[in-house]
Amino acid sequence: MELALSEAERARDLGEVPVGAVIVGAGGEVLASAGNRTLALRDPTAHAELLAIRAACDKLGGERLNDCDLYVTLEPCAMCAAAISFARIRRLYFGAADPKGGAVEHGPRFFAQPTCHHAPEVIGGLGETKAKDLLKTFFAGRR
């Protein structure tokens, strides 16, 4: 999670919403890491999770990330939750909960839906304080 928090800080320094993600393979190898890049790429889908999933799939040469874990600083939105499911990620660790835009423990609770084909094991609250502080400070500075 420390690497994901570093990615979130890098995103913040670029003026992006400070969210970072890291994908770790079965042997503990970091396969990919990314921070939000929606502004830089002019792409509303350039969330940290999606960028990390794309990079990890590219590195492994396939569309599935079986036996891989995703660490992300904020509870994933519905778009990212769907990508996590489609990629078959084994375990999802997230930092701060997102009551407004989250889709794992809030909102649509994507992985609990009968239409969800794969649900990862979910562990929330990892690095929560630092992740929350990054987000609060970022948005306070924009108001």
Side-chain angles (χ1 to χ4, degrees):
M1 185 56 83
E2 284 302 315
L3 183 53
L5 288 163
S6 293
E7 288 289 346
E9 290 170 346
R10 238 185 312 274
R12 174 205 59 208
D13 294 345
L14 295 169
E16 302 276 359
V17 174
V19 176
V22 175
I23 296 181
V24 177
E29 173 192 7
V30 173
L31 299 174
S33 63
N36 274 358
R37 296 290 180 269
T38 59
L39 299 173
L41 299 176
R42 294 184 174 104
D43 179 357
T45 71
H47 288 194
E49 300 96 318
L50 290 184
L51 296 174
I53 288 170
R54 290 174 187 148
C57 286
D58 188 50
K59 184 170 187 170
L60 294 178
E63 75 281 4
R64 299 279 189 253
L65 296 173
N66 298 320
D67 301 321
C68 292
D69 299 335
L70 170 63
Y71 294 80
V72 64
T73 59
L74 182 65
E75 178 183 355
C77 69
M79 173 181 68
C80 292
I84 290 164
S85 178
F86 293 149
R88 305 292 193 264
I89 288 178
R90 173 180 58 181
R91 213 171 279 124
L92 165 66
Y93 297 91
F94 71 86
D98 186 358
K100 185 176 178 183
V104 176
E105 292 183 349
H106 297 88
R109 300 177 192 265
F110 189 88
F111 302 130
Q113 298 304 314
T115 53
C116 179
H117 297 291
H118 168 78
E121 180 181 349
V122 176
I123 298 98
L126 191 63
E128 179 178 20
T129 301
K130 189 168 182 183
K132 273 175 139 174
D133 289 347
L134 275 169
L135 289 159
K136 281 183 181 181
T137 303
F138 176 80
F139 285 112
R142 296 194 144 228
R143 293 187 179 121

